[in-house]
Amino acid sequence: MQPQLHSYHIAKDVVAFSSTRRGGVSNGAYGEFNINLWCGDSVEHTTRNLELLASELGIAKDHIIIPHQVHKTETRIISNSFFQLSEADRTAYIDGVDALITNLTGVCIGVSTADCIPVLLYDPVHHASAAIHAGWRGTQQRIVAKTVETMQKQYGTNLADLQAVIGPGISLQAFEVGQEVYDAFAEAGFDMASISVKKEKWHINLPLCNKLQLKSIGVPEDSIQCADICTYSSHEDFFSARRLGINSGRIYNGILMK
């Protein structure tokens, strides 16, 4: 048994992927592959699935980093000092965090999603990477731009060098929102004519929001890959909280530099 991963080609020495629901031991709304500890799955199943992923990636399971996300914009740097912390301190360090960055090899950083938008970044010059959880709140607060700014400060990242992946997430057609969500994006200065459409209710294009955010800060368009997978309509292969409920599994979107 092995996790079935949806992979992205970024560079020769980089493994970037989004997990599918296949190739694990969880069941029901968590089946089959889920490693997220905060969505109600059993510790036994998430631990076994984590072991399966570590084996597939060829790294120790404690080198797969999974933050506890809260739909904000906090970013944490994973450096060698992180692994010198106690397990409790490591857990605390990545609690309330929605983006991770690192320049370590042999460490997989990632974020969990189930309709929200995952964004993976790679700086080939400074050999640094980022994993970002961009739900509608994170997107509206421009978490991608804030994470890139942290990479610039920490590693000297040049925007023109960045490679980006926008992974599976809810599509424009499926992401129906209330007026308050539309207003939040409008008040934050988003071009609503390009990212939204009015049907019975407003629909917002979150993948496009994040792509436009990357382009607006200077990432070349031809350096942005889009999975173009709607989790809502592809819920048999990818977890979707809107289809399966919040007590269901999560996609793990990871990036590992070798």
Side-chain angles (χ1 to χ4, degrees):
M1 182 179 294
Q2 65 186 90
Q4 302 300 304
L5 307 178
H6 182 82
S7 298
Y8 313 102
H9 177 70
I10 294 183
K12 181 181 177 182
D13 295 324
V14 177
V15 177
F17 63 90
S18 297
S19 64
T20 71
R21 295 182 61 179
R22 314 297 179 195
V25 300
S26 295
N27 49 45
Y30 303 101
E32 299 167 352
F33 184 82
N34 169 63
I35 61 172
N36 186 284
L37 298 169
W38 299 282
C39 58
D41 199 358
S42 75
V43 173
E44 178 186 357
H45 288 162
T46 54
T47 299
R48 179 57 183 146
N49 287 334
L50 185 62
E51 291 170 349
L52 291 170
L53 180 59
S55 176
E56 178 72 11
L57 298 176
I59 60 176
K61 67 179 183 179
D62 67 351
H63 279 48
I64 298 173
I65 315 300
I66 312 168
H68 181 214
Q69 301 158 193
V70 292
H71 295 275
K72 293 186 179 179
T73 62
E74 196 70 34
T75 301
R76 287 285 186 273
I77 300 163
I78 303 300
S79 63
N80 284 316
S81 61
F82 174 80
F83 295 98
Q84 296 167 6
L85 299 173
S86 67
E87 184 175 349
D89 286 344
R90 271 183 274 169
T91 299
Y93 181 71
I94 56 175
D95 185 63
V97 172
D98 285 86
L100 299 174
I101 66 172
T102 193
N103 66 348
L104 299 180
T105 57
V107 173
C108 183
I109 56 172
V111 289
S112 303
T113 57
D115 289 331
C116 293
I117 310 303
V119 180
L120 303 175
L121 303 175
Y122 176 58
D123 172 356
V125 175
H126 301 91
H127 208 49
S129 61
I132 306 164
H133 164 243
W136 79 257
R137 291 178 180 85
T139 299
Q140 185 263 347
Q141 295 174 68
R142 293 181 169 83
I143 186 173
V144 169
K146 290 177 180 178
T147 304
V148 170
E149 184 178 351
T150 303
M151 291 182 74
Q152 289 177 298
K153 291 177 180 177
Q154 186 70 20
Y155 308 121
T157 294
N158 187 328
L159 291 164
D161 298 326
L162 272 178
Q163 297 291 319
V165 170
I166 297 172
I170 197 164
S171 65
L172 169 71
Q173 291 74 19
F175 190 48
E176 183 181 84
V177 302
Q179 185 67 44
E180 73 283 357
V181 176
Y182 177 92
D183 291 344
F185 277 84
E187 289 165 10
F190 284 83
D191 180 2
M192 302 311 294
S194 65
I195 67 165
S196 65
V197 63
K198 184 70 178 286
K199 298 184 179 181
E200 289 187 12
K201 290 188 175 181
W202 285 107
H203 287 242
I204 290 179
N205 192 331
L206 286 183
L208 179 60
C209 283
N210 285 283
K211 182 177 182 179
L212 292 174
Q213 197 173 138
L214 287 164
K215 288 175 60 180
S216 71
I217 61 175
V219 179
E221 184 169 8
D222 60 4
S223 296
I224 305 170
Q225 299 181 45
C226 297
D228 291 325
I229 296 171
C230 174
T231 45
Y232 185 86
S233 60
S234 302
H235 65 281
E236 292 184 357
D237 295 315
F238 295 91
F239 291 110
S240 167
R242 283 203 172 197
R243 289 294 288 263
L244 301 167
I246 59 170
N247 294 319
S248 58
R250 300 291 186 268
I251 302 162
Y252 180 70
N253 309 272
I255 182 165
L256 164 67
M257 302 181 299
K258 295 186 173 181

